[in-house]
Amino acid sequence: HDVRRGRTCAKIALIAKAPLLPLYRKAGFEVQGLSEIVHGRDPWFECALDATAVPYEVIDSFSDAAFGGNPAAVVLGEGSEAWMKSVAAEFNLSETAFLRFIEGNRFGLRWLTPTAEVDLCGHATLAAAHFLFGREAYDELVFETRSGDLVATKKGDLIELAFPRDDPMEVVDLKIKGQLLKALSVEAIESVHRSGQRDLLVTLSTEAFRTMNVDLAKISEIERIRGVIPCCAGDVRDEGQADFSSRFFGPAVGIDEDPVTGSAHCALAPLFMKRCGGKSRLVGYQASARGGEVVCDVA
């Protein structure tokens, strides 16, 4: 499949001799019977492949190990709203990315959770870039999204994403702080900030972060938010070197806990940059069961 054109044909047909039939079956071809073509002593067989299937891949972002980081499905092509929602629900991952070729190195990109479309998603954008870099000789990609143009650049074995900085604003609402104390089952909160993505960044002590007991039902009662992000300074792993640690809970958008949330780091990095003496390069560790690291350069 040419990523610039999506589906390019409906059917692929070929003829092959018997020794090659297992190989073609493994590639998805169906053996339809003997061919009328006669060439040589051995018979030929007709094989066909349905090429109308939409190309897709599931990719683990923010991890250098198998089954780590955050998995996202990437689908090359868009359909009706109902079809895209059904596909995202079928994958049942935190995000499914839908790509649409525009021109040159520009692609349309949309992100859907199993229940809603979102304005920004880091790990699914990273997965989409990996998907395209592996199929065409691009050095840079531009994604047209609901959050504007996002640029992905190939940097050796790594991919750099240019995402918008999201300086969070401090929250002084005592009602919200009370709801968060109950939702996280902690005795004290150092600070609460709200990001432009409607996330609540809840800064805790390292001990409170490690021992919190999250109640998703109580998080769901907090109005007008995308998610709750408990966070703390330092690395909660014994031997880790991250500057801050976090987790993400978003039942309002169909995500109980997100393994690694790239978009959340658009707000987490500026918040902890101030706490790290203006340090511009920070490493965030997301302490989910799968776990993952996000390297952030704050400009």
Side-chain angles (χ1 to χ4, degrees):
H1 292 271
D2 186 332
V3 300
R4 294 164 296 182
R5 297 182 178 88
R7 299 191 296 273
T8 57
C9 65
K11 182 179 181 180
I12 300 173
L14 56 82
I15 59 172
K17 291 190 175 181
L20 290 177
L21 294 181
L23 174 65
Y24 285 113
R25 284 195 180 99
K26 187 175 181 180
F29 283 83
E30 179 183 348
V31 179
Q32 298 185 320
L34 285 170
S35 173
E36 295 180 356
I37 296 174
V38 177
H39 180 70
R41 185 178 302 174
D42 298 325
W44 293 82
F45 293 85
E46 293 183 353
C47 304
L49 173 69
D50 179 7
T52 61
V54 177
Y56 74 90
E57 189 172 348
V58 176
I59 297 166
D60 292 338
S61 297
F62 301 124
S63 177
D64 57 2
F67 312 114
N70 199 353
V74 181
V75 178
L76 181 58
E78 293 182 351
S80 67
E81 296 295 317
W83 179 82
M84 293 170 66
K85 289 177 181 178
S86 295
V87 170
E90 180 71 15
F91 277 118
N92 199 32
L93 295 170
S94 58
E95 309 285 348
T96 297
F98 293 89
L99 287 165
R100 174 179 53 85
F101 175 70
I102 299 174
E103 62 178 357
N105 66 339
R106 299 183 73 88
F107 288 80
L109 177 60
R110 295 171 66 180
W111 310 280
L112 274 74
T113 77
T115 62
E117 184 169 2
V118 297
D119 294 334
L120 185 65
C121 178
H123 82 280
T125 305
L126 184 61
H130 176 82
F131 179 94
L132 293 171
F133 282 140
R135 285 164 173 76
E136 294 283 341
Y138 294 115
D139 292 319
E140 183 178 276
L141 295 161
V142 180
F143 297 115
E144 295 185 9
T145 78
R146 286 168 60 160
S147 292
D149 286 359
L150 303 176
V151 178
T153 307
K154 188 186 293 185
K155 300 279 188 177
D157 293 333
L158 301 176
I159 297 172
E160 180 181 273
L161 301 180
F163 266 41
R165 175 170 170 168
D166 184 3
D167 288 277
M169 303 294 292
E170 188 165 8
V171 175
V172 296
D173 190 322
L174 295 179
K175 177 183 176 181
I176 289 179
K177 289 186 177 180
Q179 288 177 301
L180 290 168
L181 286 169
K182 294 178 180 178
L184 303 179
S185 300
V186 294
E187 294 183 357
I189 290 173
E190 293 183 3
S191 67
V192 179
H193 290 76
R194 183 186 293 271
S195 75
Q197 291 294 313
R198 297 178 295 110
D199 296 327
L200 294 178
L201 285 64
V202 187
T203 307
L204 305 172
S205 68
T206 303
E207 182 61 24
F209 182 91
R210 284 175 168 155
T211 59
M212 65 181 170
N213 186 17
V214 178
D215 188 327
L216 292 171
K218 287 186 170 58
I219 288 180
S220 298
E221 294 173 359
I222 304 174
E223 298 177 346
R224 296 186 296 277
I225 66 168
R226 181 183 75 153
V228 169
I229 308 174
C231 53
C232 69
D235 197 317
V236 295
R237 298 169 294 182
D238 292 336
E239 69 283 354
Q241 300 296 316
D243 297 288
F244 59 89
S245 300
S246 67
R247 293 173 70 181
F248 181 96
F249 303 95
V253 290
I255 304 171
D256 287 348
E257 180 171 10
D258 199 27
V260 190
T261 315
S263 60
H265 286 75
C266 295
L268 284 164
L271 177 65
F272 282 95
M273 179 182 72
K274 298 174 183 176
R275 297 171 180 236
C276 294
K279 183 178 179 182
S280 61
R281 168 163 284 197
L282 301 99
V283 178
Y285 171 64
Q286 195 147 332
S288 64
R290 292 174 67 98
E293 289 187 349
V294 182
V295 180
C296 309
D297 287 318
V298 185

